[in-house]
Amino acid sequence: MNEVNRRVIAEFRANGGVVGGPFTGQPLLLLTTTGARSGLARTTPVCYLADGDGRFAVFPSNGGAATPPAWYRNLTAHPEVTVEVGTRVLRARAAAATGAERDRLWARQVAADPQFAVFQERAGRAVPVVVLTVLADRA
């Protein structure tokens, strides 16, 4: 994990899910996946879009890189994840959104944060949309 992510995670947890700096006002959650090869827990701050009760959409844009971020590979290999939103810690299952659902969620995200359209253009690929469906509060 890089130092920037370490600081964001610490600030998120210390402030009940509120993070400043470049993330001020940005909906942010902490996503803990299981490493596809290592099997180790990996936590990453991720921008999200709430989609109804118990669903969060995340967008593995990797800032416009040609390849998705490692957390995307991890959750495709191990779809059960932990999600921290505010002060809640939840178990969730990740699944790729497809077709009309993907298009709807992507359009909502681009409307909320136009930078995501730039990321997709820069990446030269369709950025996946992943829906995290809450299974339960984590005990």
Side-chain angles (χ1 to χ4, degrees):
M1 178 186 327
N2 68 43
E3 186 57 34
V4 171
N5 280 354
R6 269 192 205 79
R7 286 195 309 262
V8 170
I9 291 166
E11 183 178 357
F12 182 101
R13 289 176 173 158
N15 297 306
V18 178
V19 178
F23 296 107
T24 300
Q26 183 75 264
L28 197 68
L29 60 75
L30 299 184
L31 178 65
T32 301
T33 60
T34 301
R37 289 183 295 224
S38 70
L40 299 174
R42 307 284 187 198
T43 301
T44 308
V46 178
C47 295
Y48 77 94
L49 179 70
D51 187 48
D53 190 34
R55 285 173 40 113
F56 305 97
V58 294
F59 310 89
S61 65
N62 206 13
T67 58
W71 61 262
Y72 177 70
R73 289 187 300 279
N74 292 345
L75 65 75
T76 58
H78 303 284
E80 290 223 6
V81 299
T82 300
V83 177
E84 296 175 57
V85 179
T87 59
R88 295 181 69 198
V89 180
L90 310 161
R91 283 187 320 105
R93 177 172 299 279
T98 59
E101 180 184 37
R102 187 252 179 231
D103 295 344
R104 175 184 65 81
L105 292 167
W106 181 254
R108 282 185 57 209
Q109 180 62 19
V110 169
D113 187 347
Q115 186 67 25
F116 277 82
V118 174
F119 293 158
Q120 182 164 274
E121 184 177 326
R122 186 184 310 151
R125 62 182 170 87
V127 172
V129 175
V130 177
V131 175
L132 307 173
T133 302
V134 174
L135 302 173
D137 283 335
R138 188 167 156 223

